[in-house]
């Protein structure tokens, strides 16, 4: 199975104030972190692919980022967001790490990606993956789809 997500904002205290409709964790960042990990792992298996469209954590500390990333099931493909400086800086190191489920900590880390996915009917769809919305992208005029994050609560 293939999943898409974005803007998880682990370790971000204020995201619960900014996104009250979607972040009902009693203004407790540790409760939010645990809840998001639980939601991810209740949905994703170790054999699934997850395309995360950026803003993984507001923390710049690898000691706060790594334990969370270690717990997330599946093959985690990551598109860098505007809060992901630490992940960008440690990209090569992170790509070399493995999780307990045998998958890499991150299967890929990129600023943007154009991917092709096979649908259940055997047809193929091209998807542009970015943290930011893009007005025009390659193959945009050929029926491809743009998926992005960054804009919250819409």
């Amino acid at each position: 199975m293939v999943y898409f997500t974005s803007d998880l904002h682990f370790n971000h205290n204020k995201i619960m104030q900014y996104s009250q409709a979607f972040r009902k964790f009693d203004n407790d960042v540790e409760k939010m972190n645990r809840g998001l990990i639980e939601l991810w792992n209740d949905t994703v298996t170790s054999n699934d692919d997850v395309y995360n469209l950026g803003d993984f954590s507001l923390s710049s500390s690898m000691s706060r980022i790594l334990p969370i990333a270690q717990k997330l099931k599946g093959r985690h493909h990551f598109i860098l967001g505007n809060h992901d400086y630490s992940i960008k800086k440690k990209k090569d190191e992170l790509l070399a790490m493995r999780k307990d489920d045998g998958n890499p900590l991150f299967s890929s880390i990129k600023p943007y990606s154009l991917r092709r996915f096979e649908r259940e009917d055997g047809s193929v769809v091209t998807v542009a993956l970015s943290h930011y919305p893009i007005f025009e992208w390659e193959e945009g005029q050929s029926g491809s789809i743009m998926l992005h994050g960054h804009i919250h609560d819409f």
Side-chain angles (χ1 to χ4, degrees), residues 8-33:
L8 295 170
H9 287 261
F10 286 106
N11 302 307
H12 187 181
N13 286 313
K14 294 192 183 252
I15 195 69
M16 290 175 280
Q17 295 167 14
Y18 303 149
S19 300
Q20 293 178 13
F22 302 107
R23 302 286 178 141
K24 298 181 189 256
F25 296 103
D26 303 323
N27 221 19
D28 180 337
V29 75
E30 294 304 325
K31 184 176 180 181
M32 179 187 74
N33 289 347

Side-chain angles (χ1 to χ4, degrees), residues 1-4 40 44-51 73-77 107 115 117:
M1 185 68 81
V2 177
Y3 296 98
F4 300 91
W40 179 302
V44 177
T45 72
S46 294
N47 296 319
D48 293 332
D49 287 287
V50 179
Y51 290 84
K73 292 179 188 175
R75 292 178 295 271
H76 191 172
H77 304 274
S107 295
R115 303 292 310 244
F117 297 98

Side-chain angles (χ1 to χ4, degrees), residues 2-102:
V2 177
Y3 296 98
F4 300 91
T5 190
S6 185
D7 295 276
L8 295 170
H9 287 261
F10 286 106
N11 302 307
H12 187 181
N13 286 313
K14 294 192 183 252
I15 195 69
M16 290 175 280
Q17 295 167 14
Y18 303 149
S19 300
Q20 293 178 13
F22 302 107
R23 302 286 178 141
K24 298 181 189 256
F25 296 103
D26 303 323
N27 221 19
D28 180 337
V29 75
E30 294 304 325
K31 184 176 180 181
M32 179 187 74
N33 289 347
R34 287 189 308 272
L36 292 174
I37 292 166
E38 184 178 321
L39 286 168
W40 179 302
N41 289 334
D42 284 350
T43 304
V44 177
T45 72
S46 294
N47 296 319
D48 293 332
D49 287 287
V50 179
Y51 290 84
N52 185 339
L53 306 182
D55 284 359
F56 183 74
S57 175
L58 196 67
S59 178
S60 61
S61 168
M62 278 295 135
S63 66
R64 295 200 45 135
I65 294 170
L66 285 174
I68 293 170
Q70 281 282 354
K71 292 176 184 167
L72 300 175
K73 292 179 188 175
R75 292 178 295 271
H76 191 172
H77 304 274
F78 193 71
I79 302 297
L80 293 162
N82 56 301
H83 292 295
D84 299 313
Y85 303 110
S86 296
I87 293 173
K88 183 178 181 180
K89 184 177 177 182
K90 300 281 187 178
K91 174 184 171 183
D92 293 335
E93 184 180 329
L94 295 169
L95 288 169
M97 294 179 180
R98 297 199 84 67
K99 299 184 290 187
D100 292 339
D101 71 358

